[in-house]
């Protein structure tokens, strides 16, 4: 079980997360739903241990063990990984090299082809370089394929749909379900309620707090009715604080 | 190609060095491939094919060669230039003159291998003349000793006539550099194109100095000069990329990326752009710093340590 307990995070004097509490049980599909600017990606980076996102208050626990001070690599060794929102470019690295991490991931060419296919790309991409010759959407799909090549206990997908067309929601759901069948806990961060439908539990985030949580259908509908038309998430800080 | 019995043993060692540097030694004996094999101050093998004329000789502490690609000939297989030095100490001087006649097309694969040298100075001077609408590509890969005792001084001056194309790729990434002083300049005439691309990896107390200079002297001339240097440990690197826009509608781009690893590296880059014709356009990009943290985080989140991830990224950049 991965837990965020009373987490508060301030960056450059801006309070991004405010006494946040979340819990992710093993083998379930979670979604973190919220408008842009509400702190969702901050939660993703914080869970992965990215340096800039170390909380000033609160703890991150993995099966009861405090991992708050562990960095990205140490958390990956414990079975936590992420597909970051922005899929970065790697000059000179082919997709095959990237998927197998230069041989560190013991996988066959067929495994790589299959992962790529599940992410919606054909095997021609294996020889292509993960650089600026690929679009952001193509790199995003390669990133999703790379997640399928790993065997992790917790997978954080930060806005997996950004840069990918509507038709691909099915691809994303499919990947989440494949991971789920392997027993992986998936934590999908999104501002689209359609993605929330394919989960077991949803957190609704507003102004760096859990504003509501529960059944995905209920949270999706709540989000659509209230949050979707709210252009000023920061104004909700007062409401959130009063809860 | 036949290697005389006197040089059979020497060729064997040179071929071994050539293979170490990534070359395929069987190409050196292939009669359908034009090649020159240099060992120390001798040419121990030479082969030409139709459309290629080679004159050669010896000079003090080295050799010279004049390579001419005859007008309109497109040489199907790359010409191989294999330069080696088997001794531990010494000096080697190599002078090349390349004449690529009008409408000819050729590529060269040059391997300079000094894996056993602990104190060697290798001086190379190349004069390149590329005729109208002719094309020349020169891929130059170096393989030095790990002792760091090789000093390489390379000076290339090229003239590219109207509509000609010249590409020069220099690579020294597999071994220690030692001391490196490279200068490449090109005089580009009307609609001529040039591309310089240098990739170097320095470690321990290697010293790297590169000057790449584009003279955009003809209307519509285009040029790119790009240097990529990975500097680790106590490496010192000085990179100067220059572009001179002297003709209308000429375009030049210079770029230098230096990746640093280690708190004792000493690196600098100096872009020089000068326009004497207001219809010329010049641009530059430069960066110096550690490996991008987003790239590192992405790879570390997949289970690579920081060192593994850094090496993975650097290998990609130098590829």
């Amino acid at each position: 079980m991965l837990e965020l307990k009373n987490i508060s995070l301030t960056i450059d004097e801006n309070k991004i997360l405010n006494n946040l509490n979340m819990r992710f049980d093993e083998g379930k599909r979670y979604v973190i739903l919220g408008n842009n600017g509400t702190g969702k990606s901050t939660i993703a980076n914080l869970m992965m241990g990215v340096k800039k996102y170390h909380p000033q208050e609160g703890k991150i626990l993995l099966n009861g063990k405090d991992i708050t001070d562990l960095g990205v690599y140490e958390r990956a060794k414990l079975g936590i990984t992420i597909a970051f929102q922005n899929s970065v470019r790697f000059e000179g690295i082919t997709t095959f090299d990237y998927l197998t991490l230069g041989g560190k991931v013991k996988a066959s060419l067929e495994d790589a082809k299959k992962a790529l296919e599940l992410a919606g790309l054909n095997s021609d991409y294996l020889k292509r370089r993960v650089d600026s010759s690929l679009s952001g959407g193509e790199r995003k799909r390669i990133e999703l394929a790379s997640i399928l090549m790993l065997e992790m206990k917790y997978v954080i997908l930060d806005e997996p749909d950004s840069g990918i067309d509507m038709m691909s929601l099915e691809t994303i759901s499919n990947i989440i379900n494949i991971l789920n069948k392997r027993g992986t806990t998936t934590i999908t961060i999104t501002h689209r309620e359609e993605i929330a439908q394919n989960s077991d539990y949803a957190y609704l985030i507003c102004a760096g707090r859990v504003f509501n949580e529960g059944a995905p259908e209920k949270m999706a509908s709540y989000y659509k009715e209230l949050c979707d038309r709210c252009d000023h998430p920061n104004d909700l800080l007062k409401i959130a604080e009063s809860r | 190609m036949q290697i005389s019995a006197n040089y059979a043993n020497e060729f064997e060692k040179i071929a071994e060095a050539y293979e170490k540097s990534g070359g395929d030694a069987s190409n050196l004996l292939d009669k359908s491939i034009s090649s020159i094999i240099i060992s120390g101050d001798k040419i121990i093998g030479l082969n030409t094919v139709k459309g290629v004329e080679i004159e050669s000789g010896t000079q003090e502490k080295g050799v010279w060669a004049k390579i001419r690609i005859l007008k309109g000939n497109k040489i199907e297989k790359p010409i191989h230039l294999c330069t080696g030095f088997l001794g531990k100490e010494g000096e080697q001087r190599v002078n090349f003159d390349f004449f690529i006649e009008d409408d000819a097309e050729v590529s060269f694969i040059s391997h300079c291998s000094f894996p056993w040298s602990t104190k060697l100075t290798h001086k190379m001077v190349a004069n390149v003349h590329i005729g109208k609408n002719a094309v020349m590509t020169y891929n130059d890969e170096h393989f030095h000793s790990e002792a760091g005792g090789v000093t390489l001084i390379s000076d290339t001056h090229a003239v590219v006539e109207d509509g000609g194309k010249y590409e020069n790729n220099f690579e020294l990434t597999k071994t220690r550099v030692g001391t490196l002083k490279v200068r490449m300049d090109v005089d580009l005439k009307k609609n001529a194109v040039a591309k310089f691309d240098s990739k170097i990896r320095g470690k321990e107390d290697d010293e790297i100095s590169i000057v790449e200079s584009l003279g955009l002297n003809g209307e519509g001339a285009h040029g790119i000069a790009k240097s990529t240097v990975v500097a680790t440990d106590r490496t010192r690197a000085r990179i100067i990329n220059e572009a001179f826009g002297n003709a209308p509608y000429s375009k030049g781009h210079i770029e230098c990326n230096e990746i640093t690893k280690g708190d004792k590296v000493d690196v600098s880059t100096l872009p020089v752009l000068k326009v004497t014709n207001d219809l010329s356009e010049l641009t530059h990009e430069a960066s110096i710093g550690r490996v991008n943290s987003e790239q590192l985080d992405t790879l570390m989140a997949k289970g690579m340590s920081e060192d593994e991830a850094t090496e993975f990224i650097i290998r990609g950049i130098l590829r």
Side-chain angles (χ1 to χ4, degrees):
Chain A
M1 179 173 55
L2 184 63
E3 289 175 279
L4 307 185
K5 285 201 156 182
N6 307 317
I7 295 284
S8 290
L9 172 69
T10 299
I11 298 175
D12 298 334
E13 298 181 359
N14 294 318
K15 195 157 198 172
I16 313 287
L17 301 179
N18 186 11
N19 197 28
L20 187 84
N21 286 284
M22 288 177 149
R23 178 183 140 156
F24 306 99
D25 290 330
E26 281 183 23
K28 288 195 172 172
R29 300 168 303 167
Y30 291 88
V31 74
I32 298 176
L33 193 58
N35 266 340
N36 289 331
T38 52
K40 302 190 301 299
S41 286
T42 300
I43 298 170
N45 283 291
L46 174 136
M47 282 197 285
M48 195 63 239
V50 177
K51 214 172 185 178
K52 188 180 162 190
Y53 299 90
H54 190 277
Q56 284 84 21
E57 291 173 45
K59 283 181 180 175
I60 304 167
L61 304 174
L62 180 66
N63 299 325
K65 187 186 160 195
D66 189 350
I67 62 165
T68 317
D69 292 334
L70 298 186
V72 175
Y73 172 54
E74 286 78 15
R75 292 192 200 189
K77 282 202 296 184
L78 293 172
I80 303 170
T81 194
I82 186 170
F84 286 106
Q85 183 175 0
N86 296 317
S87 305
V88 291
R89 295 187 285 256
F90 287 92
E91 197 183 330
I93 306 285
T94 65
T95 302
F96 182 73
D97 266 353
Y98 185 67
L99 295 181
T100 57
L101 300 177
K104 191 176 170 78
V105 173
K106 300 295 172 207
S108 67
L109 186 64
E110 283 309 308
D111 294 332
K113 279 183 187 173
K114 195 175 173 186
L116 216 49
E117 198 178 302
L118 286 166
L121 295 174
N122 64 40
S123 57
D124 293 346
Y125 279 84
L126 286 171
K127 287 181 183 169
R128 293 188 61 180
R129 292 182 171 189
V130 192
D131 57 17
S132 55
S133 67
L134 297 178
S135 71
E138 287 170 322
R139 288 201 304 276
K140 193 91 182 179
R141 288 175 188 273
I142 288 168
E143 191 57 34
L144 292 173
S146 84
I147 293 290
L148 286 169
M149 298 285 285
L150 304 171
E151 287 178 17
M152 294 288 194
K153 290 175 188 160
Y154 295 87
V155 168
I156 305 158
L157 302 170
D158 189 3
E159 302 274 8
D161 54 317
S162 69
I164 299 183
D165 52 78
M166 281 292 285
M167 291 291 285
S168 307
L169 288 179
E170 194 182 331
T171 301
I172 293 162
S173 294
N174 193 26
I175 288 171
I176 290 170
N177 293 339
I178 289 167
L179 292 168
N180 181 248
K181 275 184 192 162
R182 292 181 190 168
T184 303
T185 302
T186 59
I187 303 163
T188 308
I189 287 161
T190 183
H191 61 276
R192 288 169 70 168
E193 72 274 6
E194 306 98 297
I195 289 183
Q197 309 286 354
N198 185 46
S199 68
D200 301 310
Y201 198 84
Y203 287 101
L204 187 58
I205 299 295
C206 184
R209 276 189 178 209
V210 175
F211 198 67
N212 208 342
E213 64 182 281
E217 299 79 14
K218 197 175 163 188
M219 290 305 110
S221 140
Y222 191 98
Y223 175 73
K224 197 169 183 182
E225 281 174 30
L226 295 173
C227 306
D228 213 18
R229 337 174 239 194
C230 176
D231 294 330
H232 309 289
N234 289 333
D235 289 352
L236 289 176
L237 185 59
K238 287 176 188 164
I239 303 170
E241 281 175 344
S242 69
R243 287 173 67 90
Chain B
M1 181 197 297
Q2 290 279 327
I3 305 290
S4 79
N6 294 345
Y7 296 135
N9 287 341
E10 206 158 337
F11 173 74
E12 215 168 279
K13 293 291 272 181
I14 291 285
E16 185 189 334
Y18 186 70
E19 297 257 344
K20 275 187 178 185
S21 69
D24 178 355
S26 66
N27 287 330
L28 300 174
L29 300 172
D30 188 330
K31 284 183 179 172
S32 69
I33 293 175
S34 188
S35 60
I36 303 176
I37 306 167
I38 299 165
S39 174
D41 57 0
K42 300 183 293 291
I43 290 178
I44 63 168
L46 193 152
N47 189 48
T48 57
V49 298
K50 192 183 166 213
V52 180
E53 287 182 356
I54 302 176
E55 285 177 67
S56 65
T58 55
Q59 61 180 4
E60 190 189 354
K61 294 179 181 174
V63 300
W64 60 267
K66 291 183 179 180
I67 301 165
R68 185 177 293 275
I69 310 302
L70 301 178
K71 188 175 178 180
N73 276 278
K74 293 185 176 19
I75 308 305
E76 194 187 333
K77 294 181 180 175
I79 296 176
H80 285 63
L81 305 176
C82 170
T83 306
F85 191 89
L86 300 180
K88 288 194 171 179
E89 295 186 7
E91 184 176 331
Q92 182 183 46
R93 294 181 186 176
V94 178
N95 285 44
F96 284 129
D97 289 320
F98 299 93
F99 301 96
I100 317 303
E101 294 187 350
D102 294 354
D103 301 308
E105 202 171 316
V106 65
S107 66
F108 291 87
I109 296 178
S110 166
H111 285 265
C112 293
S113 311
F114 318 116
W116 300 288
S117 302
T118 51
K119 195 178 175 191
L120 167 71
T121 299
H122 169 87
K123 290 182 182 171
M124 199 278 279
V125 176
N127 287 298
V128 178
H129 185 269
I130 297 173
K132 288 181 181 171
N133 301 312
V135 179
M136 172 175 166
T137 303
Y138 192 82
N139 294 309
D140 190 9
E141 185 163 1
H142 281 248
F143 193 90
H144 297 180
S145 80
E146 285 301 337
V150 174
T151 296
L152 168 67
I153 301 167
S154 169
D155 199 343
T156 302
H157 174 66
V159 176
V160 186
E161 300 292 351
D162 298 0
K165 288 182 184 166
Y166 175 47
E167 183 174 338
N168 188 317
N169 302 305
F170 179 89
E171 197 172 317
L172 207 177
T173 60
K174 291 177 181 160
T175 61
R176 280 201 58 191
V177 171
T179 302
L180 176 75
K181 292 175 185 170
V182 171
R183 180 176 172 87
M184 289 189 262
D185 65 72
V186 63
D187 172 2
L188 292 163
K189 309 295 189 191
K190 188 177 179 184
N191 294 325
V193 178
K195 183 186 166 201
F196 291 149
D197 192 357
S198 302
K199 293 182 175 177
I200 294 141
R201 179 175 191 154
K203 56 186 171 182
E204 298 184 39
D205 57 357
D206 287 342
E207 288 202 30
I208 299 162
S209 165
I210 299 173
V211 179
E212 292 178 334
S213 185
L214 302 170
L216 301 153
N217 301 321
E219 184 175 332
H222 281 51
I224 295 176
K226 185 177 176 186
S227 308
T228 306
V229 174
V230 173
T232 61
D233 306 321
R234 303 177 304 283
T235 297
R236 291 173 52 150
R238 302 280 176 267
I239 314 299
I240 299 173
N241 303 106
E242 303 172 332
F244 299 94
N246 298 326
Y249 311 111
S250 59
K251 283 189 178 179
H253 178 74
I254 56 175
E255 186 174 335
C256 178
N257 297 303
E258 294 182 83
I259 312 291
T260 57
K261 189 183 171 205
D263 57 7
K264 289 187 176 142
V265 296
D266 179 351
V267 299
S268 66
T269 175
L270 179 65
V272 177
L273 300 181
K274 186 178 177 189
V275 163
T276 59
N277 186 298
D278 69 350
L279 293 173
S280 177
E281 286 178 33
L282 304 179
T283 54
H284 81 87
E285 278 180 65
S287 67
I288 297 183
R290 298 185 68 187
V291 166
N292 178 290
S293 65
E294 285 186 4
Q295 290 179 324
L296 277 179
D297 283 339
T298 298
L299 295 172
M300 288 196 294
K302 297 180 196 302
M304 275 185 154
S305 68
E306 186 168 346
D307 280 349
E308 287 173 329
T310 302
E311 186 59 30
F312 186 72
I313 293 163
I314 286 172
R315 270 195 282 128
I317 289 168
L318 293 176
R319 201 167 281 164

